[in-house]
């Protein structure tokens, strides 16, 4: 069986995508049923523990990144506040040594974007070198962007090979593949991108870069969660999901929690399998917890 046949077999093995109307109805039903039940201080604290605290600005400096890292350090130094820490600090590759030097909080991981982020429009050799150098600098999580040039052209074999090579460049670091769901739009494209990423070795599938296209939305999140569920049923392997791009309020975060809880189950309610990429969400969750 050639590579194209194997890819088509993977598409066929997992459930087909639902229509936009069906997805929107299902999402609305889940949120109506679960939102008010789960909205509570414990849920908000858990959501805080899933945050990849992120800065990806062209104006990032050592000083600004140090200030971000101090949010995690403060939480570690003040356990009496009863807050968990964030899951990771996510930065550009050049800022990884800064995070590594300043971060004192145990258990907070160092994540970095790589592979020609955010467009993924550069040579594969450069992507692989960047990922290897970023891991060597201290990152233990790597976020790359799906090669939309290949994907949208139907060159699925090249998509798979690139993710597999990036995974190898990660060595022991976790690999998150950003699907850029705001550019894909159609549920079937989101489904296919999710399947290709998972079968190519991604540890997480992630919605968005938060740059050129719309960020996370509940429709794409629903489709991704369904693929993760079907992939687990098919292989027995649990992979993670990360929602990023525009999630700022506690109310929004709880809606994504509802989808993960209902579609994937309690086993996914851990920072090892569930992340939210954000910056302002951290302070907003703290305020919401105080109001509960």
């Amino acid at each position: 069986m050639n590579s194209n046949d194997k890819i088509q077999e993977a598409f066929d093995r997992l459930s087909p995508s639902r229509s936009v109307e069906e997805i929107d109805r299902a999402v609305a039903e889940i949120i109506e049923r679960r939102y008010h039940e789960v909205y509570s201080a414990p849920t908000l604290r858990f959501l805080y523990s899933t945050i990849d605290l992120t800065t990806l600005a062209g104006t990032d400096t050592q000083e600004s990144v140090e200030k971000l890292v101090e949010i995690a350090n403060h939480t570690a130094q003040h356990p009496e506040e009863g807050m968990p820490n964030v899951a990771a600090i996510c930065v550009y590759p050049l800022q990884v040594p800064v995070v590594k030097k300043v971060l004192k909080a145990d258990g907070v991981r160092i994540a970095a974007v790589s592979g020609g982020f955010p467009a993924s429009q550069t040579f594969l050799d450069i992507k692989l070198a960047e990922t290897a150098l970023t891991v060597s600098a201290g990152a233990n999580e790597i976020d790359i962007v799906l090669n939309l040039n290949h994907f949208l052209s139907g060159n699925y074999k090249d998509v798979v090979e690139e993710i597999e090579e990036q995974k190898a460049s990660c060595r022991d670091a976790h690999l998150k593949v950003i699907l850029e769901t705001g550019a894909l739009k159609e549920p079937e494209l989101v489904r296919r991108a999710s399947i290709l990423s998972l079968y190519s070795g991604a540890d997480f599938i992630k919605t968005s870069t938060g740059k050129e296209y719309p960020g996370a939305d509940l429709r794409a999140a629903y489709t991704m969660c369904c693929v993760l569920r079907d992939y687990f049923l098919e292989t027995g392997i649990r992979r993670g999901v990360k929602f990023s791009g525009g999630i700022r309020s506690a109310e929004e975060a709880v809606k994504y929690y509802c989808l993960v809880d209902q579609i994937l189950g309690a086993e996914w309610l851990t920072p090892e399998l569930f992340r939210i990429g954000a910056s302002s969400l951290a302070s907003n969750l703290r305020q919401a917890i105080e109001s509960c």
Side-chain angles (χ1 to χ4, degrees):
M1 183 181 295
N2 64 38
S3 297
N4 289 330
D5 289 339
K6 289 180 180 178
I7 290 168
Q8 187 59 51
E9 185 181 85
F11 289 154
D12 293 342
R13 275 202 303 269
L14 275 63
S15 302
S17 61
R18 303 178 72 178
S19 69
V20 168
E21 294 75 19
E22 289 173 323
I23 292 170
D24 288 348
R25 269 198 308 273
V27 168
E29 289 170 1
I30 289 171
I31 291 172
E32 182 179 2
R33 185 170 67 250
R34 294 288 289 153
Y35 180 85
H36 293 292
E37 180 182 347
V38 302
Y39 189 102
S40 64
T43 297
L44 299 179
R45 287 192 186 93
F46 165 73
L47 286 167
Y48 191 92
S49 77
T50 71
I51 291 176
D52 283 3
L53 197 58
T54 302
T55 181
L56 295 171
T59 54
D60 285 342
T61 63
Q62 178 174 334
E63 182 181 3
S64 66
V65 171
E66 286 177 351
K67 287 181 179 178
L68 187 75
V69 176
E70 282 306 318
I71 295 173
N73 288 342
H74 173 88
T75 302
Q77 293 161 2
H78 295 276
E80 72 278 1
E81 294 180 356
M83 288 292 295
N85 219 323
V86 295
I89 307 291
C90 184
V91 294
Y92 276 116
L94 284 180
Q95 300 297 341
V96 167
V98 177
V99 179
K100 185 177 181 180
K101 178 181 177 181
V102 177
L103 183 63
K104 306 301 180 185
D106 291 337
V108 177
R109 297 172 68 83
I110 302 174
V113 296
S114 184
F117 180 93
S120 193
Q121 293 278 8
T122 190
F123 300 106
L124 179 56
D125 286 348
I126 293 175
K127 296 179 182 182
L128 300 177
E130 183 179 27
T131 295
L133 287 168
T134 305
V135 172
S136 294
N140 39 43
E141 297 186 356
I142 295 292
D143 293 34
I144 67 166
V145 181
L146 184 80
N147 190 321
L148 294 180
N149 170 40
H150 292 324
F151 180 80
L152 294 175
S153 301
N155 299 328
Y156 297 145
K157 178 176 175 289
D158 291 335
V159 173
V160 168
E161 289 177 354
E162 180 168 313
I163 296 172
E164 289 175 341
E165 291 192 51
Q166 284 276 42
K167 176 64 175 174
S169 290
C170 283
R171 290 176 290 186
D172 294 331
H174 281 182
L175 178 66
K176 306 190 195 91
V177 177
I178 306 167
L179 310 183
E180 202 66 288
T181 56
L184 300 182
K185 298 179 184 178
E186 298 175 18
E188 176 59 17
L189 291 180
V190 174
R191 185 187 84 98
R192 290 186 172 223
S194 299
I195 291 170
L196 290 176
S197 300
L198 292 171
Y199 278 97
S200 303
D203 297 292
F204 274 75
I205 50 175
K206 174 180 171 182
T207 53
S208 318
T209 62
K211 297 294 184 182
E212 187 174 354
Y213 302 98
D217 67 75
L218 295 169
R219 185 182 296 160
Y222 178 92
T223 298
M224 292 164 68
C225 286
C226 288
V227 172
L228 285 163
R229 177 198 61 203
D230 291 349
Y231 180 79
F232 170 70
L233 293 174
E234 178 71 26
T235 66
I237 300 170
R238 290 188 176 91
R239 298 298 189 198
V241 63
K242 178 176 174 180
F243 309 117
S244 61
I247 302 174
R248 298 182 177 88
S249 70
E251 292 78 11
E252 289 175 295
V254 170
K255 291 176 182 179
Y256 287 93
Y257 175 98
C258 290
L259 294 187
V260 173
D261 180 38
Q262 288 297 283
I263 299 169
L264 293 170
E267 293 84 359
W268 263 266
L269 297 179
T270 167
E272 294 300 315
L273 293 170
F274 177 11
R275 298 285 181 85
I276 298 176
S279 52
S280 59
L281 177 62
S283 60
N284 292 339
L285 279 175
R286 282 181 173 271
Q287 293 173 11
I289 290 166
E290 292 172 1
S291 300
C292 280

